[in-house]
């Protein structure tokens, strides 16, 4: 019996750009984990203070990063400084498209929550915000990114996202297939 698993491609940090399996930006996933942790804390503060404009700012940053690239995600920007300060070595790199898709999903949920909160539906508006907090905490704690995994499912939304913001990057080029007995 064959078990076919698909998973995102990761490459060693020293891989030259000309031999990488797909064009585009390859990133250190630990920066995204840091960004998820800090943005989850900021969203928790917004929830505790019942300050939906703070959640709106986080959502705007997620949307900016999803549209223009992960280098625009303010919450992960301190990672290079932390890496140098603690002399942490390089890691495997991943392509930035799956995290950008996850950020687009997070921004969408935050926009829904902010719209509900702005309409005065406070208890219901915080539910999508709590979902984003939970998924970002999961990413920060374990490295599992549900939005990144959804990017690799065979449905039209990730393909549309890749065509809109990917600048010619094909989603299929970022998938590794393992065939095992």
């Amino acid at each position: 019996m064959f078990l076919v698993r698909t998973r995102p491609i990761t490459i060693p940090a020293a891989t030259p750009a000309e031999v990488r399996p797909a064009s585009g930006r390859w990133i250190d996933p630990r920066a995204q984990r840091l960004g998820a942790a800090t943005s989850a804390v900021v969203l928790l503060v917004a929830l505790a203070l019942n300050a939906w404009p703070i959640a709106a700012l986080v959502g705007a940053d997620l949307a900016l990063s999803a549209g223009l690239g992960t280098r625009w995600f303010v919450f992960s920007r301190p990672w290079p400084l932390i890496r140098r300060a603690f002399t942490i070595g390089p890691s495997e790199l991943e392509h930035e498209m799956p995290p950008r898709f996850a950020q687009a999903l997070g921004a969408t949920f935050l926009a829904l929550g902010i719209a509900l909160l702005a309409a005065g539906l406070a208890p219901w508006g915080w539910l999508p915000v709590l979902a984003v907090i939970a998924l970002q905490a999961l990413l920060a704690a374990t490295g599992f990114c549900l939005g990144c995994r959804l990017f690799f499912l065979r449905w039209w939304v990730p393909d549309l996202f890749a065509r809109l913001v990917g600048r010619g990057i094909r989603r299929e080029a970022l998938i590794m297939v393992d065939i095992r007995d």
Side-chain angles (χ1 to χ4, degrees):
M1 180 170 123
F2 291 101
L3 172 66
V4 178
R5 292 182 346 153
T6 60
R7 62 182 173 89
I9 292 177
T10 57
I11 60 173
T15 305
E18 55 274 359
V19 296
R20 291 180 176 170
S23 63
R25 212 165 152 252
W26 291 78
I27 59 172
D28 185 343
R30 297 173 298 183
Q32 295 306 306
R33 288 179 77 173
L34 173 71
T38 52
S39 60
V41 168
V42 170
L43 287 171
L44 278 172
V45 168
L47 175 66
L49 298 175
N50 197 26
W52 62 266
I54 295 172
L57 289 174
V58 173
D61 188 38
L62 282 170
L64 180 70
S65 179
L68 299 178
T70 56
R71 71 175 60 93
W72 292 93
F73 191 48
V74 172
F75 297 104
S76 64
R77 295 300 295 164
W79 176 248
L81 299 172
I82 292 169
R83 208 179 102 200
R84 277 192 294 274
F86 292 104
T87 59
I88 301 170
S91 75
E92 288 188 332
L93 302 176
E94 69 178 358
H95 200 275
E96 78 168 349
M97 284 305 291
R100 286 175 68 181
F101 181 72
Q103 289 173 336
L105 291 175
T108 302
F109 271 77
L110 288 177
L112 173 64
I114 299 310
L116 291 170
L117 290 167
L121 301 170
W124 299 107
W126 287 111
L127 288 176
V129 175
L130 280 169
V132 172
I133 292 169
L135 291 172
Q136 287 184 329
L138 178 68
L139 171 60
T142 67
F144 179 79
C145 175
L146 179 62
C148 299
R149 299 295 183 213
L150 291 175
F151 180 78
F152 292 106
L153 293 180
R154 297 191 186 283
W155 57 310
W156 61 274
V157 175
D159 286 327
L160 178 63
F161 179 80
R163 276 184 285 181
L164 289 174
V165 302
R167 299 185 193 136
I169 296 167
R170 304 271 313 152
R171 186 175 59 93
E172 294 81 20
L174 303 175
I175 302 172
M176 175 184 289
V177 177
D178 292 334
I179 300 176
R180 300 182 184 184
D181 311 288

